[in-house]
Amino acid sequence: MLSGAIGALAGCVVSPLTQTQYDGGTPLAIKGFAVAVFGGLGNSMAAVAAGLIIGLLETFSIIVLPLAYKDAVAITLFS
């Protein structure tokens, strides 16, 4: 109950600054799933490394691709 209250308080403090939206978590969930599959579900250090690799690939992909395709980089690792 205490952790839920702290999380709610943090959300109330951060939401005016970050302009949160109701559908803002979907791209993060897709990227998180891609990291879990790419790094492995049982190995936390591999998941951290996979997150770093996917983040770097997304960041450097805007050099070659338009910015609109940045979120599609994580999905292309599945195929």
Side-chain angles (χ1 to χ4, degrees), residues 6 9 17 28 33 61 71:
I6 291 172
L9 180 66
L17 302 174
L28 296 176
F33 182 69
S61 71
D71 292 332

Side-chain angles (χ1 to χ4, degrees), residues 24-51:
T26 305
L28 296 176
I30 292 171
K31 290 177 189 177
F33 182 69
V35 167
V37 169
F38 186 60
L41 295 173
N43 192 353
S44 61
M45 292 305 292
V48 169

